[in-house]
PDB file of all heavy atoms in Angstrom:
ATOM      1  N   ALA B 195      13.579 -27.693  -8.410  1.00 98.00           N
ATOM      2  CA  ALA B 195      13.892 -27.184  -9.667  1.00 98.00           C
ATOM      3  C   ALA B 195      14.449 -25.714  -9.534  1.00 98.00           C
ATOM      4  O   ALA B 195      13.706 -24.821  -9.029  1.00 98.00           O
ATOM      5  CB  ALA B 195      12.606 -27.140 -10.595  1.00 98.00           C
ATOM      6  N   ASP B 196      15.667 -25.544  -9.851  1.00 98.00           N
ATOM      7  CA  ASP B 196      16.290 -24.191  -9.784  1.00 98.00           C
ATOM      8  C   ASP B 196      16.202 -23.571 -11.171  1.00 98.00           C
ATOM      9  O   ASP B 196      17.015 -23.865 -12.063  1.00 98.00           O
ATOM     10  CB  ASP B 196      17.776 -24.372  -9.355  1.00 98.00           C
ATOM     11  CG  ASP B 196      18.511 -22.995  -9.278  1.00 98.00           C
ATOM     12  OD1 ASP B 196      17.921 -21.972  -9.753  1.00 98.00           O
ATOM     13  OD2 ASP B 196      19.613 -22.956  -8.710  1.00 98.00           O
ATOM     14  N   ILE B 197      15.104 -22.778 -11.362  1.00 98.00           N
ATOM     15  CA  ILE B 197      14.852 -22.299 -12.687  1.00 98.00           C
ATOM     16  C   ILE B 197      15.280 -20.849 -12.854  1.00 98.00           C
ATOM     17  O   ILE B 197      14.841 -20.057 -13.697  1.00 98.00           O
ATOM     18  CB  ILE B 197      13.303 -22.353 -13.047  1.00 98.00           C
ATOM     19  CG1 ILE B 197      12.493 -21.478 -11.965  1.00 98.00           C
ATOM     20  CG2 ILE B 197      12.798 -23.757 -13.000  1.00 98.00           C
ATOM     21  CD1 ILE B 197      10.994 -21.324 -12.381  1.00 98.00           C
ATOM     22  N   SER B 198      16.436 -20.469 -12.106  1.00 98.00           N
ATOM     23  CA  SER B 198      16.929 -19.146 -12.062  1.00 98.00           C
ATOM     24  C   SER B 198      17.118 -18.516 -13.463  1.00 98.00           C
ATOM     25  O   SER B 198      16.749 -17.400 -13.740  1.00 98.00           O
ATOM     26  CB  SER B 198      18.297 -19.081 -11.366  1.00 98.00           C
ATOM     27  OG  SER B 198      18.022 -19.278  -9.984  1.00 98.00           O
ATOM     28  N   HIS B 199      17.644 -19.348 -14.400  1.00 98.00           N
ATOM     29  CA  HIS B 199      18.006 -18.879 -15.703  1.00 98.00           C
ATOM     30  C   HIS B 199      16.780 -18.751 -16.590  1.00 98.00           C
ATOM     31  O   HIS B 199      16.605 -17.810 -17.362  1.00 98.00           O
ATOM     32  CB  HIS B 199      19.040 -19.722 -16.400  1.00 98.00           C
ATOM     33  CG  HIS B 199      20.398 -19.141 -16.227  1.00 98.00           C
ATOM     34  ND1 HIS B 199      20.951 -18.378 -17.258  1.00 98.00           N
ATOM     35  CD2 HIS B 199      21.324 -19.192 -15.200  1.00 98.00           C
ATOM     36  CE1 HIS B 199      22.182 -17.959 -16.849  1.00 98.00           C
ATOM     37  NE2 HIS B 199      22.380 -18.430 -15.644  1.00 98.00           N
ATOM     38  N   ILE B 200      15.843 -19.723 -16.561  1.00 98.00           N
ATOM     39  CA  ILE B 200      14.793 -19.821 -17.527  1.00 98.00           C
ATOM     40  C   ILE B 200      13.427 -19.430 -17.003  1.00 98.00           C
ATOM     41  O   ILE B 200      12.452 -19.599 -17.722  1.00 98.00           O
ATOM     42  CB  ILE B 200      14.758 -21.233 -18.136  1.00 98.00           C
ATOM     43  CG1 ILE B 200      14.553 -22.305 -16.976  1.00 98.00           C
ATOM     44  CG2 ILE B 200      15.954 -21.500 -18.987  1.00 98.00           C
ATOM     45  CD1 ILE B 200      14.329 -23.713 -17.503  1.00 98.00           C
ATOM     46  N   SER B 201      13.339 -18.825 -15.806  1.00 98.00           N
ATOM     47  CA  SER B 201      11.996 -18.496 -15.255  1.00 98.00           C
ATOM     48  C   SER B 201      11.225 -17.557 -16.121  1.00 98.00           C
ATOM     49  O   SER B 201       9.974 -17.721 -16.153  1.00 98.00           O
ATOM     50  CB  SER B 201      12.119 -17.972 -13.836  1.00 98.00           C
ATOM     51  OG  SER B 201      12.957 -16.835 -13.781  1.00 98.00           O
ATOM     52  N   GLY B 202      11.837 -16.647 -16.770  1.00 98.00           N
ATOM     53  CA  GLY B 202      11.073 -15.765 -17.696  1.00 98.00           C
ATOM     54  C   GLY B 202      10.465 -16.523 -18.872  1.00 98.00           C
ATOM     55  O   GLY B 202       9.344 -16.208 -19.232  1.00 98.00           O
ATOM     56  N   LEU B 203      11.251 -17.512 -19.310  1.00 98.00           N
ATOM     57  CA  LEU B 203      10.688 -18.297 -20.470  1.00 98.00           C
ATOM     58  C   LEU B 203       9.548 -19.206 -19.963  1.00 98.00           C
ATOM     59  O   LEU B 203       8.590 -19.421 -20.701  1.00 98.00           O
ATOM     60  CB  LEU B 203      11.854 -19.142 -21.018  1.00 98.00           C
ATOM     61  CG  LEU B 203      13.150 -18.445 -21.395  1.00 98.00           C
ATOM     62  CD1 LEU B 203      14.131 -19.415 -22.045  1.00 98.00           C
ATOM     63  CD2 LEU B 203      12.902 -17.290 -22.338  1.00 98.00           C
ATOM     64  N   ILE B 204       9.691 -19.675 -18.775  1.00 98.00           N
ATOM     65  CA  ILE B 204       8.660 -20.524 -18.228  1.00 98.00           C
ATOM     66  C   ILE B 204       7.412 -19.695 -17.901  1.00 98.00           C
ATOM     67  O   ILE B 204       6.235 -20.101 -18.298  1.00 98.00           O
ATOM     68  CB  ILE B 204       9.098 -21.199 -16.857  1.00 98.00           C
ATOM     69  CG1 ILE B 204      10.154 -22.265 -17.160  1.00 98.00           C
ATOM     70  CG2 ILE B 204       7.945 -21.797 -16.103  1.00 98.00           C
ATOM     71  CD1 ILE B 204      10.888 -22.855 -16.009  1.00 98.00           C
ATOM     72  N   ALA B 205       7.579 -18.483 -17.357  1.00 98.00           N
ATOM     73  CA  ALA B 205       6.425 -17.600 -17.063  1.00 98.00           C
ATOM     74  C   ALA B 205       5.676 -17.289 -18.369  1.00 98.00           C
ATOM     75  O   ALA B 205       4.475 -17.142 -18.392  1.00 98.00           O
ATOM     76  CB  ALA B 205       6.872 -16.334 -16.400  1.00 98.00           C
ATOM     77  N   ALA B 206       6.410 -17.200 -19.482  1.00 98.00           N
ATOM     78  CA  ALA B 206       5.823 -16.839 -20.768  1.00 98.00           C
ATOM     79  C   ALA B 206       5.283 -18.047 -21.529  1.00 98.00           C
ATOM     80  O   ALA B 206       4.748 -17.936 -22.642  1.00 98.00           O
ATOM     81  CB  ALA B 206       6.827 -16.119 -21.603  1.00 98.00           C
ATOM     82  N   GLY B 207       5.479 -19.261 -20.949  1.00 98.00           N
ATOM     83  CA  GLY B 207       5.003 -20.454 -21.562  1.00 98.00           C
ATOM     84  C   GLY B 207       5.876 -20.932 -22.736  1.00 98.00           C
ATOM     85  O   GLY B 207       5.435 -21.786 -23.520  1.00 98.00           O
ATOM     86  N   ILE B 208       7.133 -20.436 -22.739  1.00 97.00           N
ATOM     87  CA  ILE B 208       8.018 -20.850 -23.880  1.00 97.00           C
ATOM     88  C   ILE B 208       8.829 -22.126 -23.524  1.00 97.00           C
ATOM     89  O   ILE B 208       9.266 -22.843 -24.369  1.00 97.00           O
ATOM     90  CB  ILE B 208       9.043 -19.702 -24.169  1.00 97.00           C
ATOM     91  CG1 ILE B 208       8.400 -18.346 -24.266  1.00 97.00           C
ATOM     92  CG2 ILE B 208       9.981 -20.001 -25.357  1.00 97.00           C
ATOM     93  CD1 ILE B 208       7.565 -18.155 -25.541  1.00 97.00           C
ATOM     94  N   HIS B 209       9.006 -22.384 -22.212  1.00 98.00           N
ATOM     95  CA  HIS B 209       9.664 -23.581 -21.769  1.00 98.00           C
ATOM     96  C   HIS B 209       8.684 -24.289 -20.838  1.00 98.00           C
ATOM     97  O   HIS B 209       8.012 -23.601 -20.058  1.00 98.00           O
ATOM     98  CB  HIS B 209      10.989 -23.168 -20.997  1.00 98.00           C
ATOM     99  CG  HIS B 209      11.767 -24.392 -20.610  1.00 98.00           C
ATOM    100  ND1 HIS B 209      11.377 -25.300 -19.592  1.00 98.00           N
ATOM    101  CD2 HIS B 209      13.012 -24.806 -21.014  1.00 98.00           C
ATOM    102  CE1 HIS B 209      12.311 -26.181 -19.464  1.00 98.00           C
ATOM    103  NE2 HIS B 209      13.263 -25.987 -20.311  1.00 98.00           N
TER     104      HIS B 209
END
Side-chain angles (χ1 to χ4, degrees):
D196 180 346
I197 60 169
S198 289
H199 262 264
I200 55 172
S201 55
L203 310 183
I204 289 170
I208 311 288
H209 185 290

